[in-house]
Amino acid sequence: MRLIPQYWGKHESMLCFILLLGKANVELFKKRRFGIIDKFFGKKKSDSKDKVPKHAVIIHFLYGMDGLEPLHRLEKEINILIDPEGVGEYDGHEIALDYSDGFLYMYGPNAEALFKTVRPLLEQIEFMKGATAKIRFGPPENGVKEIIVKIK
C-alpha cells in the first residue's frame, strides 16, 4: 500500500515532521513548541505572549558551505544566549537548497534588545560576515518601523 500524505492522519504527519528534523534538531524540538506543533495539538488563544506585539530580527546571510552542521551549531549558541536573557525566541532558519544563502528568524517584545544580545555572536561567525539584519519594531504590517543593519 502506498502512503499518500493527504490521507495521513495527524499522527503520521507528526512522525514525518519529527523524522525530517534530524538528530541535530531533536533537542531543540523537545525544548520549544513550534507553530506547526501548535496546529496539531492546539494552543490557548489567550496566551499573554500573543497580546504583546511581536518585534522581529531577521538575518539574511550568504552561506555557501557544504552541510548544515555550522548553521546548527550557531542555532544552539543563539538559543543559549536568548533563553536566559528572556529577550525573545529563536524561531528557526530557511536555507536555499544549494546552501547559497539563508535566513534566521528571531522574535520578541523588543527587537533592539534581541539584536544587541545576538550581535556579538553573529560578528564572530565567518559565514555571517556581510549579512544584513532587518530589525522590525512591531508586527509585519505596513508602516511599522524597520531598520537594516550590516553585520561586520
Side-chain angles (χ1 to χ4, degrees), residues 38-68:
D38 293 334
K39 287 179 184 176
F40 285 110
F41 297 109
K43 182 177 179 180
K44 292 181 182 176
K45 298 288 184 195
S46 63
D47 246 353
S48 61
K49 286 184 180 180
D50 292 338
K51 294 177 184 173
V52 176
K54 287 281 188 170
H55 291 202
V57 176
I58 301 170
I59 312 287
H60 178 238
F61 60 96
L62 299 178
Y63 192 61
M65 302 178 92
D66 291 328
L68 293 174

Side-chain angles (χ1 to χ4, degrees), residues 95-126:
I95 192 100
L97 291 174
D98 64 356
Y99 300 143
S100 59
D101 70 322
F103 293 87
L104 301 177
Y105 298 93
M106 294 167 264
Y107 302 97
N110 184 328
E112 184 178 2
L114 181 55
F115 184 64
K116 283 182 177 180
T117 301
V118 298
R119 185 178 193 166
L121 171 63
L122 298 175
E123 289 176 343
Q124 295 173 10
I125 305 299
E126 189 61 35

